[in-house]
Amino acid sequence: MPRVSLASGFQAAVDGAVSVEIEAATIRELVRRLQEQYPKMTRHFDEGVAVSINGEIYRDIRDLNIPPDAEVFLLPRLQGG
Amino acid sequence: MNGVQVSTTVNGDVEEFVCHPGETLLEVLRNRLGLTGAKEGCGTGDCGACSVIVDGQLVCSCLVLGAEVEGRKVATVEGLADGNRLHPLQDKFLEHAALQCGICTPGFLVAAKALLDDNPDPTEEEIRYALAGNLCRCTGYDKIVRAVDAAAAELRKSSKKKASGRKK
Amino acid sequence: MAEQSYTEQEFKVVGSRVRRPDGVDKVTGRARYGADAFAPGQLVGRILRSPHAHAKIKKIDISRAEKMKGVKAVITCDDLPDLTGGRGPNFDILVNCMARGTALYHGHAVAAVAAVDEPTARKALKAIKVEYKALPHVTDVDAAMAEDAPIVQPGVEHDGKPSNIVNVSQFGHGDVDAGFAEADVIIEKSYRTEQTHQGYIEPHACLASVGPDGDGELWVTTQGHFTFRNVCAQLLGMDIAKLKVTSSEIGGGFGGKTHVWMEPVALALSRKANRPVKLVMGRDEVFMGSGPTCSTSMDVKIGAKRDGTITAGQATLRYQDGPFPGPWGMLGAMTSWACYDLPNVQAVAYDVLVNRPKVAAYRAPSAPMAAFAVESTMDLVAAEIGMDPVDFRLQNVAKEGSKAAYGPTYGPIGIEATLRAVKNHPHMKAKLGKNQGRGMACGFWFNFGGQTCTDLNIGVDGTVNLTMGTVDVGGARASMSLIAAEELGIPYEKVKCNVGDTSSLGHNDTTEGSRGTFSSGMATIFAARAAIDVLKARAALMWEIDVDDIEWKDGAAHAKGIEHSNLAPLTLAEIAKKSPQTGGPIAGHNEVVADGAGVSFASHICDVEVDPETGKTKILRYTVVQDAGKAIHPDYVEGQFQGAAAQGIGWALNEEYVYGEDGRLQNPSFLDYRIPVCSDLPFIDTEILEIPNPNHPYGIRGVGETSIVPPLAAIAGAVSNAVGVRLDHTPMSPPRVLKAIREANGR
Amino acid sequence: MRYEAPSSSKEAAKLLASAKGKAVVLAGGTDLLVRMKSGAVEPDLIVDIKRIGATQEIKKSGNGFKIGAGVSGARLGKHRALKKAWPGVVEATNLIGSDQIQGRCTMAGNLCNASPAADSVPAMVAANAKANVVGPGGRRTVAVEKIPTGPGKTSLKKGEIIESITLPAKAPRSGDAYLRFIPRTEMDIAVVSAGVNLTLDSKGVVKKARVALGAVAPTVLLVEDAAKAIVGTKLDDDALAALAAACEAACRPIDDMRGTIEFRTEVAGVLARRAALTAYERAGGKK
């Protein structure tokens, strides 16, 4: 079960936790389950969240398998020039 | 409006137009004559994107009134090529990738043309100072300076050829 | 995702320095930019802007202007009703493009007119009477955080009290207090950077046309016409499909044209007048009313052991966002420590509202300022422990497996390679003269991919039309043509690439985050591969053999196996010629979310000479080292490096927004907002490293932004070394440098 | 708005004198058109003086050079005799803006724009130049330092134009120089500037000096104390220090987006010192 670390801006939405365990095989599942367990996360997903899997940052891809021992990080969606 | 009637020559063609007394040459070129090669980057003579040559003299067309060019000869970027043959400056700008967004390019070409007409063999420093009135925000000027230098060499070569051709 | 993976290959045309397909138009003056479009019956639009930094708008009387001869429409915020629900980024865009009750900064739009010509439009603006009640204002980020600061946006609260602090972000790991306790040396310093503008030479410009049927067209200079379409359609209450947006040639953007500024105003004017309206900003309006980047105030603390190991790093960053919340401070915090592998690290960022223009992305937004503070402090620590600054950085450099301060653990990354290249560069060994100094610094940027859609159509003569949807800001059409030619196996000259309008392709994200070549490159590869599948199927029909017996190489279908040895290869052109009889047009299409852009690093070296009597700095030599993954067109990769470095040099030395006591911008012109001119700069040397990106079939990495990150710190190091005193405030303009010298000499 | 391009100065003066509303003179236009664009000036009449013959001439005579008010910086820079006689004045004028601006800008226009930071003015003041004014009441000659009376203001009366500028004949063993400080290498307005004009005796001692400073007061300053500090010297270090100190003492600058009071004051002394050394060398002095 992947442990999902959260950037500070999201921690209030998961009752102040730095990381949470979520049963998920893909990013899509992760996003769904996170919102099911922590409804306050929905606002963040609406505004944009990027998911880092083993150091690679994904902004929009959802159908990506999460390896069992992967490092998963939720980051704010970024803007560039 | 007290329209001013003006008769002038642009890139060798006689043009007649009526403009507002306060209308700039840049506005006339772009809005009345359809020559949008000269660009307005600032409208205050600080960026050089509107550079044209009037009676052999490089100027910012945003700082010239349309009314002032009565009887003058105006040259713009649209007149730089010789028929369907690009001017060596145009050619070298393409070869050296001396443009990115390209908005400043017409102004640079016209200013570089004025420089090389006056000084066929400029040093790097002379090129840089001659082009200091033309702002470019994309390139850091590196490839522009190289392109102008290469075009100058090309022009010197062809003028030498012409000169030796005449001797025969 | 597997198909996105990098495969090593020998390239035939990719990597060559071909001429760009849009080049001839651009050197002959034929290329059409934002202000170069004309429509029948077009009107001239102009915007009235607030002379106040902060003011209640009590009344706007447009009646006199409306009655003037030649005036066809006058609008205020009443003509742009709020359809956004009153919150969120699009609401902020709406409020920014036309003030609603309060003018939030000097230059904030309050009304607009459309008239038959420029003089009439100007007269009409003068005829609009606005009654203001001036409010207290604040333009400085530190002042805006003070207890008794004027409040920019009522409703914003921090710690339960009205505040200008809209967001606090924190990143890091470990225990910084424990880390500092372990340190032999601790350096703590404060820094400031002034506000800068992207400074594109082409002002914002558009031509809008909306009919009574609700259909509209917008010709606009933008980095993202699909995004502009979506935003404008929402703000105007139009159907997305009925607003066609065409991106003109774009005269520079650097992030400033990723944001919608005045386009809804042009559309609203056109809708009211039922005539096309051309709206072009003057240069003063560009400075006052479109996206500068933040000014900042920052504190950085680094602790290290005498052997050069950093034990802790801590940064407190205060970024001003203008009057609307943005991610800018947060991005500063995320990027601040990204170059290093630190056991204990923390970055805290405050996003703060002030009465200045709405802040926009500027090339690797927010990273240059944080890097200025962190890298300058790195230099100070290195000096304190007597280590070479490059060696000190190498000892602490982030590698594969390092935990980034912004959270995740890095995969393979290129920072160490750029540092080693710097260490071995002849520039580092060149002798320096009197009053000269050398500096170096590193920089990081994220890079993105994103939604992308590309179309590839093959003509009956075997030439190829490639339609891309990401705006070409500086040579992308050349790169895409190279990629299509490579993939199809045909000459570069046989491909013609253009940027499609919003009605011709599916959605494409904005060209930002160095994504153009990375993501459209990927979509082009896939579209070409889709077309190759069709070409093979057509060859199978022509030969009447099984498609599985056909392979594609060198631009032709080859029949495999001895049983087909009598079949000479069919070239792309031969197959295309027969396409009417084999099923019609041949095309390849691709839509993709091109994620996996990978992070990017650069290291720079700079030499300067400072006149000790005037404080004036001359850049003597400049070298950029950056990882490009794979340079598709090396000229334009070098161009990105050089341009980014030049912008960084301007930022470091002379560019700044100067505000008066009255909260008004003092220098909205290229005369007094001093971007580098040709004679200010030397040739800028570049070294392209090619460490393939594992997440791109060609190994491509975005290259556009990262090299604006190191210059502030590299130049600060060089100037400081030249004059013997540390500069901590950009721009390092002559008055600031001379003052620092004077203070150091006890005068 | 009306545009007129008369062919004589008299006619120009008449047009300007009889104009209703705001009337402006157009020479190079590099300041006027910027102000029109910003709306700072909205003229009812524009009188273009470049079609007047006298404004287009550079005339050399025993009394020096008469330079028409329509002569561009670019033309000035190509006039060999003038450059040889008054290198400081020509350099100063050639520093105004880019090559594009040089194609249009004029010394007279630079003077009438009445900016304390005008590049050609300190050099002209140091050179003891005179403005030849034509107006409804006839002609008069005025020292150039008497033309600007404050930022944007001149002593010219309604209907008056400057037809030309006279630079005196170059004295033997004299030389002039002009330096300005700008943050970039080109395209900026002077933050502070200094013009120096020296005449030496046969032994290389400064006999006469005029030192003028720009951008440190509402108008260009002719600093007599600075001249006194170097007259009778060979510009030894003490004299140069005294020159710099006198310049600093004379400064009454403002803080603005281009520079601070302390910066302008300190650098005024630096530039005066450097310009004096160049002028000294040009006058034939050997250090």
Side-chain angles (χ1 to χ4, degrees), chain B residues 2 21-22 40 51 57-58 63-64 68 70 118 132-134, chain D residues 1 3 33 37 48 50-51 78 98 100 103-104 185 187:
Chain B
N2 299 299
E40 180 176 312
S51 295
Q57 184 63 58
L58 178 67
L63 293 186
V64 177
E68 287 184 78
E70 168 67 36
D118 191 52
N134 294 80
Chain D
M1 196 188 289
Y3 169 87
L33 266 68
K37 169 121 187 151
D48 182 353
K50 290 192 297 302
R51 307 254 173 190
K78 286 197 158 72
S98 58
Q100 284 88 337
R104 297 271 294 169
T185 51
M187 300 305 289

PDB file of all heavy atoms in Angstrom, chain B residues 2 21-22 40 51 57-58 63-64 68 70 118 132-134, chain D residues 1 3 33 37 48 50-51 78 98 100 103-104 185 187:
ATOM      1  N   ASN B   2      -7.360  68.530 -40.200  1.00  0.00           N
ATOM      2  CA  ASN B   2      -6.696  69.236 -41.292  1.00  0.00           C
ATOM      3  C   ASN B   2      -5.737  68.265 -41.949  1.00  0.00           C
ATOM      4  O   ASN B   2      -4.553  68.262 -41.673  1.00  0.00           O
ATOM      5  CB  ASN B   2      -5.928  70.443 -40.771  1.00  0.00           C
ATOM      6  CG  ASN B   2      -6.860  71.438 -40.093  1.00  0.00           C
ATOM      7  OD1 ASN B   2      -7.764  71.963 -40.733  1.00  0.00           O
ATOM      8  ND2 ASN B   2      -6.663  71.654 -38.811  1.00  0.00           N
ATOM      9  N   PRO B  21      -2.255  65.517 -39.205  1.00  0.00           N
ATOM     10  CA  PRO B  21      -0.994  66.247 -38.986  1.00  0.00           C
ATOM     11  C   PRO B  21      -0.124  65.589 -37.919  1.00  0.00           C
ATOM     12  O   PRO B  21       1.099  65.655 -37.981  1.00  0.00           O
ATOM     13  CB  PRO B  21      -1.450  67.631 -38.504  1.00  0.00           C
ATOM     14  CG  PRO B  21      -2.892  67.729 -38.811  1.00  0.00           C
ATOM     15  CD  PRO B  21      -3.441  66.357 -38.975  1.00  0.00           C
ATOM     16  N   GLY B  22      -0.739  64.945 -36.958  1.00  0.00           N
ATOM     17  CA  GLY B  22       0.040  64.342 -35.872  1.00  0.00           C
ATOM     18  C   GLY B  22       0.353  62.879 -36.092  1.00  0.00           C
ATOM     19  O   GLY B  22       0.922  62.218 -35.226  1.00  0.00           O
ATOM     20  N   GLU B  40       5.674  48.550 -34.106  1.00  0.00           N
ATOM     21  CA  GLU B  40       5.723  49.464 -32.969  1.00  0.00           C
ATOM     22  C   GLU B  40       6.014  48.672 -31.707  1.00  0.00           C
ATOM     23  O   GLU B  40       5.166  47.934 -31.223  1.00  0.00           O
ATOM     24  CB  GLU B  40       4.421  50.244 -32.795  1.00  0.00           C
ATOM     25  CG  GLU B  40       4.547  51.187 -31.595  1.00  0.00           C
ATOM     26  CD  GLU B  40       3.360  52.098 -31.377  1.00  0.00           C
ATOM     27  OE1 GLU B  40       2.893  52.726 -32.347  1.00  0.00           O
ATOM     28  OE2 GLU B  40       2.895  52.189 -30.221  1.00  0.00           O
ATOM     29  N   SER B  51      12.416  50.871 -37.380  1.00  0.00           N
ATOM     30  CA  SER B  51      13.467  51.530 -38.160  1.00  0.00           C
ATOM     31  C   SER B  51      13.171  51.521 -39.663  1.00  0.00           C
ATOM     32  O   SER B  51      12.798  50.495 -40.222  1.00  0.00           O
ATOM     33  CB  SER B  51      14.810  50.821 -37.936  1.00  0.00           C
ATOM     34  OG  SER B  51      15.210  50.951 -36.596  1.00  0.00           O
ATOM     35  N   GLN B  57      19.088  58.133 -44.461  1.00  0.00           N
ATOM     36  CA  GLN B  57      19.365  58.255 -43.046  1.00  0.00           C
ATOM     37  C   GLN B  57      18.479  57.321 -42.229  1.00  0.00           C
ATOM     38  O   GLN B  57      17.266  57.329 -42.385  1.00  0.00           O
ATOM     39  CB  GLN B  57      19.114  59.718 -42.625  1.00  0.00           C
ATOM     40  CG  GLN B  57      19.444  60.000 -41.200  1.00  0.00           C
ATOM     41  CD  GLN B  57      20.922  59.784 -40.906  1.00  0.00           C
ATOM     42  OE1 GLN B  57      21.768  60.396 -41.531  1.00  0.00           O
ATOM     43  NE2 GLN B  57      21.211  58.870 -39.983  1.00  0.00           N
ATOM     44  N   LEU B  58      19.112  56.522 -41.369  1.00  0.00           N
ATOM     45  CA  LEU B  58      18.359  55.624 -40.499  1.00  0.00           C
ATOM     46  C   LEU B  58      17.579  56.432 -39.464  1.00  0.00           C
ATOM     47  O   LEU B  58      18.144  57.299 -38.797  1.00  0.00           O
ATOM     48  CB  LEU B  58      19.332  54.683 -39.779  1.00  0.00           C
ATOM     49  CG  LEU B  58      18.740  53.687 -38.787  1.00  0.00           C
ATOM     50  CD1 LEU B  58      17.895  52.650 -39.517  1.00  0.00           C
ATOM     51  CD2 LEU B  58      19.839  53.027 -37.970  1.00  0.00           C
ATOM     52  N   LEU B  63       9.131  58.310 -34.780  1.00  0.00           N
ATOM     53  CA  LEU B  63       9.519  59.668 -34.389  1.00  0.00           C
ATOM     54  C   LEU B  63       9.591  60.597 -35.598  1.00  0.00           C
ATOM     55  O   LEU B  63      10.270  61.617 -35.576  1.00  0.00           O
ATOM     56  CB  LEU B  63      10.864  59.659 -33.652  1.00  0.00           C
ATOM     57  CG  LEU B  63      10.875  58.976 -32.278  1.00  0.00           C
ATOM     58  CD1 LEU B  63      12.219  59.165 -31.588  1.00  0.00           C
ATOM     59  CD2 LEU B  63       9.755  59.502 -31.385  1.00  0.00           C
ATOM     60  N   VAL B  64       8.923  60.205 -36.679  1.00  0.00           N
ATOM     61  CA  VAL B  64       8.845  61.041 -37.866  1.00  0.00           C
ATOM     62  C   VAL B  64       7.361  61.211 -38.164  1.00  0.00           C
ATOM     63  O   VAL B  64       6.597  60.239 -38.085  1.00  0.00           O
ATOM     64  CB  VAL B  64       9.541  60.360 -39.066  1.00  0.00           C
ATOM     65  CG1 VAL B  64       9.405  61.204 -40.334  1.00  0.00           C
ATOM     66  CG2 VAL B  64      11.007  60.085 -38.764  1.00  0.00           C
ATOM     67  N   GLU B  68       6.055  64.845 -42.776  1.00  0.00           N
ATOM     68  CA  GLU B  68       7.441  65.268 -43.017  1.00  0.00           C
ATOM     69  C   GLU B  68       8.084  64.616 -44.235  1.00  0.00           C
ATOM     70  O   GLU B  68       9.132  65.055 -44.686  1.00  0.00           O
ATOM     71  CB  GLU B  68       8.313  64.929 -41.798  1.00  0.00           C
ATOM     72  CG  GLU B  68       8.098  65.802 -40.602  1.00  0.00           C
ATOM     73  CD  GLU B  68       9.079  65.436 -39.501  1.00  0.00           C
ATOM     74  OE1 GLU B  68      10.246  65.833 -39.603  1.00  0.00           O
ATOM     75  OE2 GLU B  68       8.666  64.712 -38.578  1.00  0.00           O
ATOM     76  N   GLU B  70       7.122  64.334 -47.260  1.00  0.00           N
ATOM     77  CA  GLU B  70       6.811  64.924 -48.563  1.00  0.00           C
ATOM     78  C   GLU B  70       8.104  65.051 -49.390  1.00  0.00           C
ATOM     79  O   GLU B  70       9.068  65.679 -48.940  1.00  0.00           O
ATOM     80  CB  GLU B  70       6.165  66.306 -48.341  1.00  0.00           C
ATOM     81  CG  GLU B  70       6.048  67.181 -49.584  1.00  0.00           C
ATOM     82  CD  GLU B  70       5.073  66.616 -50.614  1.00  0.00           C
ATOM     83  OE1 GLU B  70       4.055  66.035 -50.215  1.00  0.00           O
ATOM     84  OE2 GLU B  70       5.363  66.735 -51.827  1.00  0.00           O
ATOM     85  N   ASP B 118      27.307  52.470 -44.769  1.00  0.00           N
ATOM     86  CA  ASP B 118      28.217  53.507 -44.315  1.00  0.00           C
ATOM     87  C   ASP B 118      29.605  52.946 -44.007  1.00  0.00           C
ATOM     88  O   ASP B 118      30.616  53.612 -44.199  1.00  0.00           O
ATOM     89  CB  ASP B 118      27.604  54.118 -43.040  1.00  0.00           C
ATOM     90  CG  ASP B 118      28.309  55.393 -42.620  1.00  0.00           C
ATOM     91  OD1 ASP B 118      28.440  56.269 -43.485  1.00  0.00           O
ATOM     92  OD2 ASP B 118      28.728  55.479 -41.448  1.00  0.00           O
ATOM     93  N   ALA B 132      22.756  49.321 -31.172  1.00  0.00           N
ATOM     94  CA  ALA B 132      22.316  49.529 -29.786  1.00  0.00           C
ATOM     95  C   ALA B 132      20.922  50.139 -29.716  1.00  0.00           C
ATOM     96  O   ALA B 132      20.251  50.033 -28.697  1.00  0.00           O
ATOM     97  CB  ALA B 132      23.315  50.401 -29.036  1.00  0.00           C
ATOM     98  N   GLY B 133      20.475  50.746 -30.800  1.00  0.00           N
ATOM     99  CA  GLY B 133      19.128  51.319 -30.808  1.00  0.00           C
ATOM    100  C   GLY B 133      18.049  50.322 -31.144  1.00  0.00           C
ATOM    101  O   GLY B 133      16.880  50.681 -31.256  1.00  0.00           O
ATOM    102  N   ASN B 134      18.442  49.076 -31.341  1.00  0.00           N
ATOM    103  CA  ASN B 134      17.467  48.032 -31.656  1.00  0.00           C
ATOM    104  C   ASN B 134      17.448  47.027 -30.517  1.00  0.00           C
ATOM    105  O   ASN B 134      18.444  46.347 -30.265  1.00  0.00           O
ATOM    106  CB  ASN B 134      17.859  47.315 -32.959  1.00  0.00           C
ATOM    107  CG  ASN B 134      17.766  48.238 -34.148  1.00  0.00           C
ATOM    108  OD1 ASN B 134      18.663  49.045 -34.389  1.00  0.00           O
ATOM    109  ND2 ASN B 134      16.677  48.147 -34.878  1.00  0.00           N
TER     110      ASN B 134
ATOM    111  N   MET D   1      -5.630  70.329 -35.256  1.00  0.00           N
ATOM    112  CA  MET D   1      -4.164  70.276 -35.407  1.00  0.00           C
ATOM    113  C   MET D   1      -3.771  70.605 -36.857  1.00  0.00           C
ATOM    114  O   MET D   1      -4.441  70.180 -37.791  1.00  0.00           O
ATOM    115  CB  MET D   1      -3.654  68.882 -35.026  1.00  0.00           C
ATOM    116  CG  MET D   1      -2.162  68.842 -34.778  1.00  0.00           C
ATOM    117  SD  MET D   1      -1.547  67.158 -34.551  1.00  0.00           S
ATOM    118  CE  MET D   1      -2.193  66.694 -32.969  1.00  0.00           C
ATOM    119  N   TYR D   3      -0.298  71.220 -39.595  1.00  0.00           N
ATOM    120  CA  TYR D   3       1.136  71.033 -39.834  1.00  0.00           C
ATOM    121  C   TYR D   3       1.592  72.028 -40.891  1.00  0.00           C
ATOM    122  O   TYR D   3       0.962  72.141 -41.956  1.00  0.00           O
ATOM    123  CB  TYR D   3       1.399  69.594 -40.313  1.00  0.00           C
ATOM    124  CG  TYR D   3       2.807  69.365 -40.854  1.00  0.00           C
ATOM    125  CD1 TYR D   3       3.850  69.014 -39.998  1.00  0.00           C
ATOM    126  CD2 TYR D   3       3.083  69.492 -42.226  1.00  0.00           C
ATOM    127  CE1 TYR D   3       5.136  68.805 -40.493  1.00  0.00           C
ATOM    128  CE2 TYR D   3       4.364  69.283 -42.723  1.00  0.00           C
ATOM    129  CZ  TYR D   3       5.392  68.945 -41.854  1.00  0.00           C
ATOM    130  OH  TYR D   3       6.657  68.731 -42.339  1.00  0.00           O
ATOM    131  N   LEU D  33       7.724  64.322 -30.503  1.00  0.00           N
ATOM    132  CA  LEU D  33       6.799  63.247 -30.861  1.00  0.00           C
ATOM    133  C   LEU D  33       6.529  62.310 -29.688  1.00  0.00           C
ATOM    134  O   LEU D  33       5.442  61.756 -29.566  1.00  0.00           O
ATOM    135  CB  LEU D  33       7.289  62.465 -32.096  1.00  0.00           C
ATOM    136  CG  LEU D  33       6.685  62.988 -33.411  1.00  0.00           C
ATOM    137  CD1 LEU D  33       7.189  64.362 -33.750  1.00  0.00           C
ATOM    138  CD2 LEU D  33       6.908  62.024 -34.546  1.00  0.00           C
ATOM    139  N   LYS D  37       2.857  61.669 -28.199  1.00  0.00           N
ATOM    140  CA  LYS D  37       2.346  60.304 -28.040  1.00  0.00           C
ATOM    141  C   LYS D  37       1.757  60.101 -26.641  1.00  0.00           C
ATOM    142  O   LYS D  37       0.715  59.480 -26.479  1.00  0.00           O
ATOM    143  CB  LYS D  37       3.487  59.315 -28.282  1.00  0.00           C
ATOM    144  CG  LYS D  37       3.154  57.890 -27.893  1.00  0.00           C
ATOM    145  CD  LYS D  37       3.264  56.954 -29.060  1.00  0.00           C
ATOM    146  CE  LYS D  37       2.772  55.572 -28.674  1.00  0.00           C
ATOM    147  NZ  LYS D  37       2.221  54.852 -29.790  1.00  0.00           N
ATOM    148  N   ASP D  48       7.258  72.845 -38.701  1.00  0.00           N
ATOM    149  CA  ASP D  48       8.458  72.075 -39.046  1.00  0.00           C
ATOM    150  C   ASP D  48       9.471  73.052 -39.646  1.00  0.00           C
ATOM    151  O   ASP D  48       9.211  73.650 -40.694  1.00  0.00           O
ATOM    152  CB  ASP D  48       8.056  70.993 -40.064  1.00  0.00           C
ATOM    153  CG  ASP D  48       9.222  70.104 -40.464  1.00  0.00           C
ATOM    154  OD1 ASP D  48      10.373  70.392 -40.071  1.00  0.00           O
ATOM    155  OD2 ASP D  48       8.976  69.122 -41.194  1.00  0.00           O
ATOM    156  N   LYS D  50      12.524  72.343 -40.681  1.00  0.00           N
ATOM    157  CA  LYS D  50      13.611  71.710 -41.452  1.00  0.00           C
ATOM    158  C   LYS D  50      13.619  72.084 -42.930  1.00  0.00           C
ATOM    159  O   LYS D  50      14.567  71.789 -43.643  1.00  0.00           O
ATOM    160  CB  LYS D  50      13.533  70.188 -41.296  1.00  0.00           C
ATOM    161  CG  LYS D  50      13.905  69.733 -39.877  1.00  0.00           C
ATOM    162  CD  LYS D  50      14.113  68.245 -39.768  1.00  0.00           C
ATOM    163  CE  LYS D  50      12.873  67.455 -40.061  1.00  0.00           C
ATOM    164  NZ  LYS D  50      11.718  67.784 -39.177  1.00  0.00           N
ATOM    165  N   ARG D  51      12.539  72.727 -43.414  1.00  0.00           N
ATOM    166  CA  ARG D  51      12.542  73.156 -44.818  1.00  0.00           C
ATOM    167  C   ARG D  51      13.091  74.584 -44.960  1.00  0.00           C
ATOM    168  O   ARG D  51      13.077  75.150 -46.040  1.00  0.00           O
ATOM    169  CB  ARG D  51      11.133  73.078 -45.404  1.00  0.00           C
ATOM    170  CG  ARG D  51      10.475  71.720 -45.218  1.00  0.00           C
ATOM    171  CD  ARG D  51      10.404  70.887 -46.484  1.00  0.00           C
ATOM    172  NE  ARG D  51       9.902  69.543 -46.192  1.00  0.00           N
ATOM    173  CZ  ARG D  51       9.910  68.536 -47.038  1.00  0.00           C
ATOM    174  NH1 ARG D  51      10.393  68.697 -48.264  1.00  0.00           N
ATOM    175  NH2 ARG D  51       9.451  67.359 -46.707  1.00  0.00           N
ATOM    176  N   LYS D  78      29.739  63.762 -39.059  1.00  0.00           N
ATOM    177  CA  LYS D  78      30.500  63.515 -40.281  1.00  0.00           C
ATOM    178  C   LYS D  78      31.266  64.765 -40.726  1.00  0.00           C
ATOM    179  O   LYS D  78      31.959  64.723 -41.746  1.00  0.00           O
ATOM    180  CB  LYS D  78      29.537  63.081 -41.397  1.00  0.00           C
ATOM    181  CG  LYS D  78      29.025  61.665 -41.224  1.00  0.00           C
ATOM    182  CD  LYS D  78      28.442  61.153 -42.542  1.00  0.00           C
ATOM    183  CE  LYS D  78      28.396  59.649 -42.619  1.00  0.00           C
ATOM    184  NZ  LYS D  78      27.415  58.991 -41.806  1.00  0.00           N
ATOM    185  N   SER D  98      20.305  56.580 -30.017  1.00  0.00           N
ATOM    186  CA  SER D  98      20.848  55.581 -30.930  1.00  0.00           C
ATOM    187  C   SER D  98      21.191  56.201 -32.278  1.00  0.00           C
ATOM    188  O   SER D  98      20.975  57.393 -32.509  1.00  0.00           O
ATOM    189  CB  SER D  98      19.775  54.531 -31.164  1.00  0.00           C
ATOM    190  OG  SER D  98      18.613  55.174 -31.691  1.00  0.00           O
ATOM    191  N   GLN D 100      19.504  55.715 -34.822  1.00  0.00           N
ATOM    192  CA  GLN D 100      18.196  56.157 -35.336  1.00  0.00           C
ATOM    193  C   GLN D 100      17.889  57.575 -34.845  1.00  0.00           C
ATOM    194  O   GLN D 100      17.412  58.427 -35.607  1.00  0.00           O
ATOM    195  CB  GLN D 100      17.082  55.214 -34.844  1.00  0.00           C
ATOM    196  CG  GLN D 100      17.014  53.876 -35.554  1.00  0.00           C
ATOM    197  CD  GLN D 100      17.900  52.799 -34.937  1.00  0.00           C
ATOM    198  OE1 GLN D 100      18.881  53.100 -34.248  1.00  0.00           O
ATOM    199  NE2 GLN D 100      17.580  51.551 -35.199  1.00  0.00           N
ATOM    200  N   GLY D 103      19.891  60.271 -36.465  1.00  0.00           N
ATOM    201  CA  GLY D 103      19.406  60.661 -37.791  1.00  0.00           C
ATOM    202  C   GLY D 103      18.449  61.833 -37.742  1.00  0.00           C
ATOM    203  O   GLY D 103      18.127  62.429 -38.766  1.00  0.00           O
ATOM    204  N   ARG D 104      17.988  62.180 -36.548  1.00  0.00           N
ATOM    205  CA  ARG D 104      16.968  63.208 -36.414  1.00  0.00           C
ATOM    206  C   ARG D 104      17.333  64.311 -35.415  1.00  0.00           C
ATOM    207  O   ARG D 104      17.017  65.480 -35.634  1.00  0.00           O
ATOM    208  CB  ARG D 104      15.653  62.565 -35.925  1.00  0.00           C
ATOM    209  CG  ARG D 104      15.065  61.550 -36.881  1.00  0.00           C
ATOM    210  CD  ARG D 104      14.135  62.176 -37.873  1.00  0.00           C
ATOM    211  NE  ARG D 104      12.943  62.711 -37.211  1.00  0.00           N
ATOM    212  CZ  ARG D 104      12.065  63.499 -37.819  1.00  0.00           C
ATOM    213  NH1 ARG D 104      12.244  63.850 -39.069  1.00  0.00           N
ATOM    214  NH2 ARG D 104      11.013  63.948 -37.160  1.00  0.00           N
ATOM    215  N   THR D 185      25.404  51.014 -21.878  1.00  0.00           N
ATOM    216  CA  THR D 185      26.422  51.609 -22.734  1.00  0.00           C
ATOM    217  C   THR D 185      25.810  52.572 -23.735  1.00  0.00           C
ATOM    218  O   THR D 185      26.519  53.340 -24.386  1.00  0.00           O
ATOM    219  CB  THR D 185      27.164  50.511 -23.517  1.00  0.00           C
ATOM    220  OG1 THR D 185      26.190  49.667 -24.146  1.00  0.00           O
ATOM    221  CG2 THR D 185      28.032  49.668 -22.600  1.00  0.00           C
ATOM    222  N   MET D 187      21.670  54.406 -25.129  1.00  0.00           N
ATOM    223  CA  MET D 187      20.211  54.519 -25.058  1.00  0.00           C
ATOM    224  C   MET D 187      19.667  55.133 -23.771  1.00  0.00           C
ATOM    225  O   MET D 187      18.467  55.243 -23.612  1.00  0.00           O
ATOM    226  CB  MET D 187      19.526  53.159 -25.266  1.00  0.00           C
ATOM    227  CG  MET D 187      19.811  52.500 -26.596  1.00  0.00           C
ATOM    228  SD  MET D 187      19.410  53.566 -27.998  1.00  0.00           S
ATOM    229  CE  MET D 187      17.623  53.552 -27.934  1.00  0.00           C
TER     230      MET D 187
END
